[in-house]
Amino acid sequence: MDYNRVFTQAIDRLHAEGRYRVFIDILRNKGMFPNARCFAGHNGPKPVTVWCSNDYLAMGQHPKVIAAMEEALHDVGAGSGGTRNIGGNTHYHVDLEAELADLHGKEGALLFTSGYVSNEATLSTLAKVLPGCIIFSDELNHASMIAGIRNSGCEKQVFRHNDLEHLEELLAAADPEAPKLIAFESVYSMDGDVAPLHAICDLADKYNALTYLDEVHAVGMYGPRGGGISDRDEAASRITVIEGTLGKAFGVMGGYIAADQMIIDVIRSYAPGFIFTTSLSPVLVAGALASVKHLKASSEERDGQQAAAATLKRMFAEAGLPVMETATHIVPLMVGDPVKAKKVSDILLAEYGVYVQPINYPTVPRGTERLRFTPGPAHDEAMMRELTQALVEIWSRMEMKLAA
């Protein structure tokens, strides 16, 4: 076996398909987001404007968050000391889990090292604990949810995206005595659409199914206290397990679930992804705690972000750019070709100092490649006008069609 040849062919396939991924070499400027420094392709750092960060509200730059992390670092040091089974519960973890449980109106919460791990560990464990469980999964669910369902070894039924009729067909055809779990997201981050939470919960009630809601692109962003779409739509009490992240709108790192205390105890006791993983650094937890507390009380960041997204959508549409209609903070610009999407991104960075990452397969289906913009409260209208003008020029240069 020529191992190197196999590995080379695997990478060559990505190049041939135009979806080989290049990661930008970048540093953000503290307190000045979306301004950053790019180190790729030139001598020394070059100023750029970031348009694709999932730090939606710039909370990773917030003075309260930074101060809390600095205080924790000098109070307890850098690391957690190992797994919580061995190192114990750093008190910051206890406080943050209480805040997250309160945020979602649940009895308890459990922290993980990332949103990917929280999804994979919880879904795989839940289905293993429930003999004969069937998981009904939205076809656009995140890779971490798919991995958790696959690793559970249980039966999986995939329903068409947000298609309630198809979901009910599958539920009705299943063994009425079998345990059932409906797994879905609130905000789907590539298309920017939203799941009908109450309608899905109605079906769960009708067919005696549990519900698992991924709120990673919605926590901090929606609802009067930032509890997500389930907070905004007053549906949290109907959801069995709510999963979220601390690495997007909350601006730090980590994942979590919130649920009844018994479910939390089951996952804590049985999930390998929790039991055998070093717990989050207390420095990170302290920052996340400060962010969650702040966004529970402040809507200023959410309001600013929503206003920015609406403005950018309007500017793109008025310029004839192929912006996809969304009801959320996500602003996708359709390209439909991986090579062109990469080229537009490269030109924006090299010539205009604009950073937006192309989104290609497998993140989105082939033929739907796009640029995904996430304007935040610190992106002003001047930045948006400059971005729109740059995109129109590039579209014209590449002979791509604009709407009349």
Side-chain angles (χ1 to χ4, degrees):
M1 168 64 71
D2 184 347
Y3 295 107
N4 193 60
R5 178 180 58 83
V6 174
F7 297 145
T8 300
Q9 289 175 342
I11 294 298
D12 287 346
R13 285 196 298 272
L14 296 179
H15 282 292
E17 295 172 13
R19 60 187 186 93
Y20 178 77
R21 300 186 181 209
V22 178
F23 301 149
I24 190 173
D25 185 354
I26 192 172
L27 286 174
R28 300 198 293 178
N29 300 322
K30 188 185 80 169
M32 299 177 66
F33 188 79
N35 296 320
R37 293 158 282 166
C38 173
F39 292 83
H42 42 76
N43 295 322
K46 172 187 175 181
V48 296
T49 302
V50 178
W51 282 96
C52 56
S53 174
N54 283 343
D55 186 359
Y56 296 127
L57 304 179
M59 289 303 296
Q61 306 288 308
H62 198 282
K64 288 183 181 179
V65 174
I66 294 170
M69 296 179 75
E70 289 177 340
E71 180 182 348
L73 178 64
H74 293 291
D75 182 27
V76 300
S80 65
T83 68
R84 289 168 74 175
N85 183 52
I86 293 173
N89 282 337
T90 301
H91 192 66
Y92 288 108
H93 291 71
V94 175
D95 283 348
L96 179 54
E97 286 173 345
E99 286 288 343
L100 292 167
D102 173 75
L103 177 65
H104 296 292
K106 299 298 184 183
E107 291 178 355
L110 192 66
L111 287 173
F112 295 83
T113 50
S114 73
Y116 189 105
V117 174
S118 56
N119 269 334
E120 193 284 326
T122 304
L123 283 167
S124 63
T125 302
L126 277 176
K128 286 177 181 176
V129 171
L130 294 168
C133 182
I134 305 170
I135 295 184
F136 300 83
S137 176
D138 188 288
E139 67 177 341
L140 294 188
N141 277 344
H142 190 263
S144 57
M145 301 175 74
I146 296 170
I149 295 167
R150 181 186 300 117
N151 291 341
S152 74
C154 74
E155 180 181 347
K156 177 180 72 173
Q157 298 280 341
V158 178
F159 61 93
R160 291 185 293 270
H161 178 53
N162 281 347
D163 188 331
L164 297 174
E165 290 186 6
H166 188 214
L167 174 57
E168 182 159 23
E169 286 177 14
L170 297 176
L171 287 165
D175 179 356
E177 299 303 316
K180 302 173 185 67
L181 175 66
I182 304 172
F184 58 106
E185 300 182 36
S186 57
V187 173
Y188 289 84
S189 66
M190 291 302 139
D191 292 339
D193 56 343
V194 176
L197 303 194
H198 281 291
I200 291 175
C201 289
D202 289 342
L203 291 177
D205 292 344
K206 182 176 179 179
Y207 292 95
N208 192 28
L210 304 177
T211 48
Y212 183 97
L213 175 63
D214 178 315
E215 286 261 42
V216 296
H217 290 279
V219 289
M221 301 291 295
Y222 298 92
R225 299 198 306 156
I229 298 296
S230 58
D231 182 18
R232 185 196 72 177
D233 293 356
E234 299 182 347
S237 63
R238 305 187 66 189
I239 305 293
T240 311
V241 179
I242 296 175
E243 185 267 348
T245 183
L246 304 167
K248 294 183 169 60
F250 291 127
V252 190
M253 181 182 177
Y256 67 89
I257 59 169
D260 291 346
Q261 194 59 53
M262 183 58 71
I263 290 177
I264 296 297
D265 201 22
V266 166
I267 303 304
R268 182 188 68 84
S269 302
Y270 282 91
F274 174 80
I275 296 169
F276 298 108
T277 300
T278 297
S279 63
L280 282 170
S281 160
V283 175
L284 295 170
V285 178
L289 179 60
S291 183
V292 171
K293 285 183 174 180
H294 177 79
L295 289 175
K296 277 184 176 181
S298 172
S299 293
E300 178 182 350
E301 293 81 6
R302 286 189 283 277
D303 294 343
Q305 198 283 330
Q306 291 292 327
T311 300
L312 189 62
K313 291 175 188 177
R314 175 179 56 78
M315 287 186 180
F316 280 179
E318 290 175 351
L321 292 164
V323 60
M324 299 170 61
E325 291 187 12
T326 74
T328 63
H329 58 283
I330 308 296
V331 185
L333 199 60
M334 182 60 67
V335 179
D337 179 275
V339 176
K340 289 181 178 178
K342 178 68 166 60
K343 188 172 182 180
V344 173
S345 172
D346 288 345
I347 294 172
L348 282 170
L349 184 62
E351 299 182 21
Y352 291 95
V354 166
Y355 171 50
V356 60
Q357 186 75 353
I359 306 296
N360 295 330
Y361 177 84
T363 307
V364 295
R366 287 186 172 90
T368 68
E369 293 82 6
R370 67 200 65 177
L371 303 175
R372 175 183 175 272
F373 295 87
T374 54
H379 289 92
D380 59 34
E381 290 198 24
M383 293 176 181
M384 296 184 198
R385 282 193 297 270
E386 291 173 4
L387 171 63
T388 303
Q389 291 166 4
L391 285 165
V392 169
E393 186 278 319
I394 295 169
W395 243 250
S396 175
R397 185 195 313 186
M398 294 178 60
E399 299 182 344
M400 295 160 66
K401 288 185 179 180
L402 294 169

